[in-house]
Amino acid sequence: MKVVTPSHIEEIKSIVKTGKVLIDESDRFSYSFDGSFGTFLPDVVIQTKSVEELASLVKLANREKIPVYPRGQATSLSGGPLPVKGGMVLDLSVLDDVLEIHEEDLIAVVSPGVLTADIHKAAEKKGLMYPPDPSSSHVSTIGGNLAENSGGPRGLKYGVTKDYVIGLEVITPEGEIIHTGGRTVKNVTGYDLTKLIVGSEGTLGIITKAILRLLPKPPASETIMAVFDSLVDAGSAISKILSSGILPAKMELMDQASIVAVENYEPLGLPVDAEAIILIELDGHPLALKDEIKQAAELCYLVGARAVRIPKNEAEKAEIWKARKLVSPAIVRIKPTKISEDATVPRSKIPQMCARLQEIRDKYNVHLVVFGHAGDGNLHPNIICDKNDKEEMRRVEQAVAEIFTAAVELGGTLSGEHGIGTMKAPFMEMELGPVGLDMMKRIKKVWDPNNIMNPGKIFPEKGQKLELS
Amino acid sequence: MKVVTPSHIEEIKSIVKTGKVLIDESDRFSYSFDGSFGTFLPDVVIQTKSVEELASLVKLANREKIPVYPRGQATSLSGGPLPVKGGMVLDLSVLDDVLEIHEEDLIAVVSPGVLTADIHKAAEKKGLMYPPDPSSSHVSTIGGNLAENSGGPRGLKYGVTKDYVIGLEVITPEGEIIHTGGRTVKNVTGYDLTKLIVGSEGTLGIITKAILRLLPKPPASETIMAVFDSLVDAGSAISKILSSGILPAKMELMDQASIVAVENYEPLGLPVDAEAIILIELDGHPLALKDEIKQAAELCYLVGARAVRIPKNEAEKAEIWKARKLVSPAIVRIKPTKISEDATVPRSKIPQMCARLQEIRDKYNVHLVVFGHAGDGNLHPNIICDKNDKEEMRRVEQAVAEIFTAAVELGGTLSGEHGIGTMKAPFMEMELGPVGLDMMKRIKKVWDPNNIMNPGKIFPEKGQKLELS
């Protein structure tokens, strides 16, 4: 990798006619970190709305072998935007001009810097819905969601970001602008480059526009909270409901540690002696919901729920979901550092995964809190620690490695929705095997021969290990 | 490409210990055609259930540069399974042993030779549903559906084959066995090889097992038939319903030519003077349907339907859907050859596409019938002709080329669900552009350096043109 020279900066400035080129250290510092670990100072940061200028910058970078790091709001929990090899950061959060809703085609056309929550709002104004709902949607850009293939609670019923992307405008690693897919839901013309690029974590190109599929907004929703004395029973309730013909929009789990953390943070009257609660949201036609909510409650009792609460109005409903939303802020009060994992298992393995997580917690004596999207097997084991305590962080590293191993051994995956980034790269071969990993590397190599697009991500470097300290 | 020599046959026989090696011309002849055009005799046909033997055969083929043509039931309408360069056909319809439904995980595990309809039945027995429903599902294998990313009427609400594939076992073009994805719906570990391989029409490897996502089966369904004096009004009804918050499972269109053809074939009392009928199926909770069906009928009247029929029982419902099912058999009675296209446009462009199709019909004086999945923009313009009439077939070739151009000009795609195969390869660059096509070719080249997997498909050869005569 080459360093950025003063003559590169001159050339960059001559390309960027409509935006800004940031070279002061104080400006560049804000681009040196993300929602995960480590700080890496880029050599230069560029803000421009012009796709042509961005393409020219990539051409320059490719010619000169300068690393290129596209970046949205940098809420990534896996290190996706970190400029680990220095070089050029492209701040795509400024590319926020396009947010069109085409009702007749049930699609949205968006530029990458638009906040995901703004797409939700724009669609809802027209009676439509953009289903993917990562918890960070009020602060994260759609570009970041596309790069990482973000999930969210509604993944259970509606799937993830990728399931709603039908077309892209992309700058290739050689600086060419291509269009993949289009405005039709059905499209089998050649290889699916759209779904290859979504979730490739910025390593195969820069997304400069996306066409998203929308759905009619369900007219109503209902919520249930069920309280369990046993985590296994909570798992059974989830299976039972899903095999009864009911498909909830969300099915969230909070373990005892999360319940206690939230209740200490803000007393909501949660049952701190329960081993687990599950929160269910059903959406659809109001008449169907009335019936389904009764059925779901009965099924919860049938497998041993000690209580089921059905809120009577919007205020009560909001209070129940507040409990789930407070988990993240509540647990960081315990210790300053939060390692948020997203190891995902087949949903039938949720009780076994919970048992493995408890073993890992005890073995390494770490503060482990478990919550997340239990309905689709996507748990969020969070380890609460202090990154300045080196001895503790070494135990945390071992615990995290063992969480990944447990997920893969149970037939699951390293990452359900946060991405591989830098943190999980060392574990890729464990899940994919050497040939599977090689087939991915071949694509990277032939698309990005000079390895300039987000280098240092996804693919492990020789001897690379997880390092949190 | 090398020819298959007697010593290759000896080596093939030594590899295939558990299956059959067919070399008689009479045996090979059955493998020389599919549901599309042309006959191409393979040198050898292999039937084996052993994935290890198949992998060894691919290793041999890769070493000796022998073309490999995987094949299911060969119902393809675009030439996917045709052994256009001779070589080896692998008959995967014998690989039909695995059909497991894992209710707790909401998944099915299947081998490629299983009929799609058998997956439907197995899932339904457990109260679940495998949504993709290509019209050929009673005779087509899931392996073929996976290779082509098949659609079907339920694509409107539920999406296509790709949307339900979460894991694969694949033999690479170099004969290695890899596993992609897994048993979890959320998985962002590395590039999405699963969705790259599904729909790659057998050019990137051989699928030997698949993990499919299932849904709870909706408890009820209802049907509506609406009759229109104007095709444009029928199009408006579709948009109106979709933007009202109702998402039907199916929304099928039949134009006047299809109505007349069916009525001549079997009198069902269809309105032969109407310009279009649309058939709608809603599924979901029975209480919701009761209300939605009324709304949908009102919306049809609002935009000018002259009649709306809601069947009162299962027998009446079946009769309505029979009309749609009879289109294909009815139109081939007119002339022996049927060119079934699947050019797809953004749904708002359906009325414009219908107008373009009428112009093309008149310009080239061809017998054009239009029906299909109007709700998702996936029309099926069918040209009825006689392949022995060379003069007519030349007009048909021009008409087909112009249908593709019209679809692309309206922001659509060459193929919504039938695939590119041999027939549409010459038109790929028109839709994808030179760089977009090149990015696909790069993947093909680096995965299959000797170009042995289904050669002659998708990518146009120099100067290749559409030839039907």
Side-chain angles (χ1 to χ4, degrees):
Chain A
M1 290 286 154
K2 270 208 199 151
V3 287
V4 177
T5 63
S7 86
H8 291 144
I9 298 288
E10 283 319 301
E11 191 173 345
I12 289 169
K13 283 184 177 164
S14 76
I15 290 170
V16 181
K17 294 194 181 64
T18 66
K20 282 186 202 163
V21 179
L22 308 176
I23 47 170
D24 285 351
E25 189 171 337
S26 57
D27 287 333
R28 289 182 288 131
F29 181 73
S30 331
Y31 293 88
S32 67
F33 51 87
D34 69 1
S36 72
F37 279 81
T39 57
F40 303 88
L41 200 65
D43 297 309
V44 56
V45 175
I46 295 116
Q47 295 181 318
T48 173
K49 287 171 182 285
S50 160
V51 175
E52 287 68 31
E53 288 176 11
L54 288 168
S56 298
L57 290 170
V58 174
K59 276 200 174 118
L60 159 65
N62 186 47
R63 191 190 75 213
E64 296 293 320
K65 301 194 173 57
I66 298 169
V68 176
Y69 292 98
R71 181 186 177 100
Q73 288 280 72
T75 56
S76 175
L77 295 170
S78 59
L82 291 177
V84 292
K85 311 260 181 203
M88 217 185 257
V89 162
L90 305 181
D91 178 0
L92 302 175
S93 70
V94 302
L95 201 58
D96 60 355
D97 294 3
V98 184
L99 171 47
E100 303 165 4
I101 305 293
H102 298 269
E103 299 152 78
E104 294 238 306
D105 287 332
L106 290 178
I107 61 171
V109 181
V110 297
S111 34
V114 171
L115 294 187
T116 309
D118 289 337
I119 303 174
H120 289 148
K121 278 179 224 151
E124 280 169 26
K125 252 190 218 163
K126 308 267 185 175
L128 300 172
M129 165 168 76
Y130 171 66
D133 60 340
S135 304
S136 57
S137 58
H138 57 296
V139 286
S140 65
T141 62
I142 186 69
N145 291 183
L146 293 164
E148 301 292 319
N149 187 22
S150 303
R154 287 202 292 226
L156 170 58
K157 179 169 181 175
Y158 293 104
V160 294
T161 300
K162 180 170 292 178
D163 298 314
Y164 294 87
V165 191
I166 58 174
L168 295 174
E169 182 185 80
V170 175
I171 300 172
T172 71
E174 291 164 327
E176 302 289 340
I177 300 169
I178 62 169
H179 294 88
T180 71
R183 289 179 173 233
T184 62
V185 173
K186 285 178 175 171
N187 181 330
V188 293
T189 297
Y191 300 155
D192 195 335
L193 300 187
T194 308
K195 287 180 167 50
L196 178 65
I197 292 165
V198 174
S200 66
E201 305 192 21
T203 63
L204 294 179
I206 300 173
I207 297 169
T208 51
K209 201 175 273 181
I211 304 170
L212 308 174
R213 186 165 73 88
L214 304 174
L215 294 181
K217 186 176 170 347
S221 74
E222 290 287 351
T223 290
I224 303 180
M225 179 174 104
V227 183
F228 292 88
D229 286 328
S230 140
L231 197 56
V232 176
D233 289 351
S236 308
I238 289 166
S239 300
K240 206 83 187 170
I241 290 169
L242 288 171
S243 56
S244 75
I246 299 172
L247 185 57
K250 308 177 188 171
M251 251 183 173
E252 299 284 302
L253 177 90
M254 289 170 60
D255 77 345
Q256 192 165 25
S258 354
I259 301 168
V260 171
V262 170
E263 201 56 23
N264 286 341
Y265 181 73
E266 182 173 333
L268 292 171
L270 295 176
V272 290
D273 59 331
E275 227 181 61
I277 59 179
I278 57 177
L279 306 177
I280 304 171
E281 184 173 290
L282 295 161
D283 66 6
H285 193 281
L287 293 174
L289 290 186
K290 231 173 137 175
D291 181 49
E292 286 179 353
I293 204 104
K294 257 200 333 216
Q295 269 188 63
E298 277 163 22
L299 288 168
C300 285
Y301 279 125
L302 201 71
V303 296
R306 85 170 189 217
V308 175
R309 191 175 148 203
I310 300 174
K312 284 183 201 67
N313 51 48
E314 289 304 312
E316 280 185 37
K317 214 189 269 183
E319 208 188 291
I320 285 187
W321 286 105
K322 191 177 180 188
R324 169 69 181 82
K325 283 211 182 85
L326 288 181
V327 176
S328 280
I331 58 181
V332 287
R333 287 245 302 221
I334 300 169
K335 282 188 178 183
T337 309
K338 177 171 76 106
I339 314 281
S340 176
E341 284 312 328
D342 64 327
T344 299
V345 294
R347 53 191 117 212
S348 65
K349 296 293 196 306
I350 289 266
Q352 267 171 276
M353 186 65 182
C354 288
R356 289 288 291 268
L357 290 171
Q358 286 173 338
E359 279 167 38
I360 292 167
R361 178 193 64 193
D362 296 343
K363 183 170 167 190
Y364 297 104
N365 185 28
V366 290
H367 196 109
L368 182 76
V369 178
V370 182
F371 58 97
H373 322 309
D376 56 24
N378 180 198
L379 291 177
H380 288 309
N382 274 241
I383 300 181
I384 312 307
C385 47
D386 179 352
K387 69 176 169 191
N388 299 313
D389 181 341
K390 290 214 164 129
E391 184 276 326
E392 180 182 29
M393 290 313 280
R394 266 191 295 277
R395 281 184 285 118
V396 172
E397 283 166 5
Q398 289 173 300
V400 168
E402 207 158 313
I403 289 173
F404 295 148
T405 308
V408 173
E409 281 176 3
L410 289 171
T413 178
L414 294 176
S415 181
E417 58 182 18
H418 293 172
I420 299 300
T422 51
M423 272 179 75
K424 290 170 211 151
F427 305 93
M428 287 280 274
E429 193 170 321
M430 173 175 74
E431 179 172 337
L432 301 168
V435 182
L437 186 58
D438 176 56
M439 296 313 269
M440 292 184 187
K441 281 185 185 167
R442 290 187 192 192
I443 296 173
K444 168 67 175 174
K445 199 163 177 196
V446 80
W447 272 45
D448 182 11
N450 293 322
N451 191 30
I452 60 152
M453 282 302 310
N454 210 3
K457 308 300 166 66
I458 303 191
F459 299 112
E461 297 185 353
K462 226 180 152 175
Q464 192 184 334
K465 280 190 183 158
L466 173 69
E467 269 179 54
L468 299 172
S469 39
Chain B
M1 291 283 156
K2 270 209 200 150
V3 287
V4 177
T5 63
S7 86
H8 291 143
I9 299 288
E10 284 317 302
E11 191 172 346
I12 291 169
K13 283 184 177 165
S14 77
I15 291 170
V16 181
K17 293 193 179 69
T18 67
K20 281 186 203 163
V21 179
L22 308 176
I23 48 172
D24 285 354
E25 190 172 336
S26 57
D27 287 333
R28 287 182 289 132
F29 181 73
S30 333
Y31 294 88
S32 66
F33 53 87
D34 68 1
S36 72
F37 280 80
T39 57
F40 304 87
L41 201 63
D43 296 308
V44 56
V45 175
I46 295 114
Q47 297 180 317
T48 172
K49 288 171 183 283
S50 160
V51 175
E52 287 68 30
E53 288 177 11
L54 288 167
S56 298
L57 290 169
V58 174
K59 277 201 171 116
L60 159 65
N62 185 47
R63 192 190 75 214
E64 296 293 321
K65 301 193 174 54
I66 298 169
V68 176
Y69 291 98
R71 182 186 176 99
Q73 287 280 73
T75 56
S76 175
L77 297 169
S78 59
L82 290 177
V84 292
K85 310 264 180 201
M88 220 184 253
V89 162
L90 304 181
D91 178 1
L92 301 175
S93 70
V94 301
L95 202 58
D96 62 354
D97 295 3
V98 182
L99 172 47
E100 302 164 5
I101 306 291
H102 298 270
E103 299 152 76
E104 293 238 308
D105 287 332
L106 290 178
I107 61 170
V109 181
V110 297
S111 36
V114 171
L115 293 186
T116 310
D118 289 339
I119 303 174
H120 289 147
K121 278 179 226 154
E124 280 169 24
K125 252 190 218 164
K126 308 266 186 176
L128 300 172
M129 167 168 74
Y130 171 66
D133 61 340
S135 305
S136 58
S137 58
H138 56 299
V139 286
S140 65
T141 62
I142 186 70
N145 291 184
L146 293 164
E148 302 291 319
N149 188 22
S150 302
R154 287 202 293 224
L156 171 57
K157 178 168 180 176
Y158 293 104
V160 294
T161 300
K162 181 170 291 178
D163 299 313
Y164 294 87
V165 191
I166 57 173
L168 294 174
E169 180 185 82
V170 176
I171 301 172
T172 71
E174 292 167 325
E176 302 289 341
I177 301 169
I178 61 169
H179 294 87
T180 72
R183 291 180 173 231
T184 62
V185 172
K186 285 180 177 170
N187 181 330
V188 292
T189 298
Y191 299 156
D192 196 336
L193 301 186
T194 307
K195 288 182 166 50
L196 178 65
I197 293 165
V198 173
S200 66
E201 306 194 23
T203 64
L204 294 179
I206 300 173
I207 297 169
T208 52
K209 200 175 273 180
I211 303 169
L212 308 173
R213 186 165 74 88
L214 304 174
L215 295 180
K217 186 178 174 334
S221 74
E222 290 288 352
T223 289
I224 302 180
M225 180 173 103
V227 183
F228 293 87
D229 286 328
S230 140
L231 197 55
V232 176
D233 290 350
S236 308
I238 289 166
S239 299
K240 207 83 187 168
I241 291 169
L242 288 171
S243 55
S244 74
I246 298 174
L247 185 57
K250 309 178 188 171
M251 252 183 174
E252 299 285 302
L253 177 91
M254 289 170 61
D255 77 345
Q256 193 164 24
S258 356
I259 301 169
V260 171
V262 169
E263 201 57 22
N264 287 340
Y265 180 73
E266 183 173 331
L268 291 171
L270 296 176
V272 290
D273 60 331
E275 228 180 62
I277 58 180
I278 56 177
L279 306 177
I280 303 171
E281 184 173 290
L282 296 160
D283 66 6
H285 191 280
L287 293 173
L289 291 186
K290 233 174 132 171
D291 181 49
E292 287 180 353
I293 203 103
K294 258 201 331 219
Q295 270 189 63
E298 278 164 20
L299 289 168
C300 286
Y301 279 125
L302 201 71
V303 296
R306 85 169 190 220
V308 174
R309 190 174 150 207
I310 300 173
K312 285 183 199 70
N313 51 47
E314 290 304 312
E316 282 184 36
K317 212 187 272 182
E319 208 187 288
I320 285 188
W321 286 104
K322 192 179 180 185
R324 171 67 182 82
K325 282 210 182 85
L326 287 181
V327 178
S328 279
I331 58 181
V332 288
R333 286 241 305 216
I334 301 169
K335 282 189 178 184
T337 309
K338 177 171 75 106
I339 315 279
S340 176
E341 284 312 329
D342 64 327
T344 300
V345 294
R347 56 192 117 212
S348 65
K349 296 294 194 306
I350 289 267
Q352 269 171 273
M353 185 66 180
C354 288
R356 290 288 290 266
L357 290 171
Q358 286 172 341
E359 281 167 36
I360 292 167
R361 179 193 63 194
D362 296 344
K363 181 169 171 191
Y364 296 105
N365 186 27
V366 289
H367 194 109
L368 183 75
V369 178
V370 181
F371 57 97
H373 321 310
D376 56 25
N378 179 199
L379 290 176
H380 288 307
N382 273 239
I383 301 180
I384 312 305
C385 49
D386 179 352
K387 68 176 168 190
N388 298 312
D389 181 341
K390 291 212 166 135
E391 185 276 324
E392 180 182 27
M393 292 311 281
R394 267 189 294 276
R395 281 186 283 117
V396 172
E397 283 165 5
Q398 289 173 300
V400 168
E402 208 159 313
I403 290 173
F404 294 148
T405 308
V408 172
E409 281 176 4
L410 289 171
T413 179
L414 294 176
S415 182
E417 57 181 21
H418 292 171
I420 299 300
T422 52
M423 275 178 72
K424 289 169 213 154
F427 304 93
M428 287 280 276
E429 193 170 321
M430 173 175 75
E431 178 172 338
L432 301 170
V435 182
L437 186 58
D438 176 58
M439 295 314 267
M440 292 184 188
K441 282 185 183 165
R442 290 187 191 192
I443 296 173
K444 168 68 175 174
K445 198 160 178 199
V446 80
W447 273 43
D448 182 12
N450 293 321
N451 191 29
I452 60 152
M453 282 303 310
N454 211 4
K457 307 302 166 64
I458 302 189
F459 300 111
E461 296 184 354
K462 225 180 154 176
Q464 191 184 332
K465 280 189 182 161
L466 174 68
E467 271 178 52
L468 298 171
S469 40

